[in-house]
Amino acid sequence: MTGKTHASCGFLVGALTTQYLQTDVFTSVTIIILSVISSLLPDICHTQSKFGRRFKILSFITRLLFGHRTFTHSLSFIATIIFLLYLIQTPVYYMVAIVIGMISHVILDMLTPKGVKLFYPLRINVVSPIHFKTGGLVDLSLATALGVGALYTLFQPYINHLTQQWLSH
């Protein structure tokens, strides 16, 4: 998947989280930002990713130690992040936002022919039975649909209110 698709999915899961938790505006914005950032985080192992270009040394070392789509795309990585967030006493709603952002990334990469090493350090490659090429038309369409879904989720109460006003006239 491209960074745009991962970010769009992070946006959607962040928006869904704010609706589920019924957070205030400041917390909602923070949750969405954390979800988007964490949806890009697993690609720190790719030196040309959005994170890789900004954190070149960390990306290079991660790639050297683990390779691409291994540790940073695994349940072990997600568990490590959860543990670290717990240690620094991250509020639960922020922890949820970060974790679901990372999970969304891993799930989307399972939809590509290369898949992920979900159970790293085991060499088992997990690929969805339905998969498609990164950067193709389906990838772009998915990014667009996820972004539209996120916007709808955020503005759904206002859309419902306007729709009811329009129908009552």
Side-chain angles (χ1 to χ4, degrees), residues 52-153:
R53 288 190 305 254
R54 283 171 179 63
F55 302 97
K56 292 178 195 267
I57 294 170
L58 180 60
S59 179
F60 178 76
I61 291 169
T62 305
R63 176 83 180 216
L64 195 62
L65 290 174
F66 303 109
H68 184 50
R69 289 192 185 181
T70 57
F71 176 64
T72 62
H73 287 66
S74 71
L75 295 174
S76 302
F77 181 68
I78 293 169
T80 300
I81 297 296
I82 291 170
F83 177 72
L84 292 172
L85 292 171
Y86 177 77
L87 277 181
I88 62 171
Q89 300 179 348
T90 304
V92 173
Y93 40 88
Y94 293 153
M95 189 183 302
V96 167
I98 292 166
V99 170
I100 62 172
M102 291 188 316
I103 289 171
S104 74
H105 181 107
V106 172
I107 291 170
L108 285 174
D109 277 356
M110 283 185 210
L111 296 172
T112 64
K114 188 174 179 183
V116 299
K117 302 281 192 264
L118 186 63
F119 304 106
Y120 185 85
L122 299 176
R123 296 284 178 198
I124 300 167
N125 200 46
V126 179
V127 180
S128 168
I130 300 168
H131 51 270
F132 47 90
K133 185 179 131 189
T134 299
L137 182 60
V138 174
D139 191 354
L140 177 63
S141 300
L142 185 58
T144 304
L146 291 167
V148 169
L151 289 172
Y152 175 76
T153 300

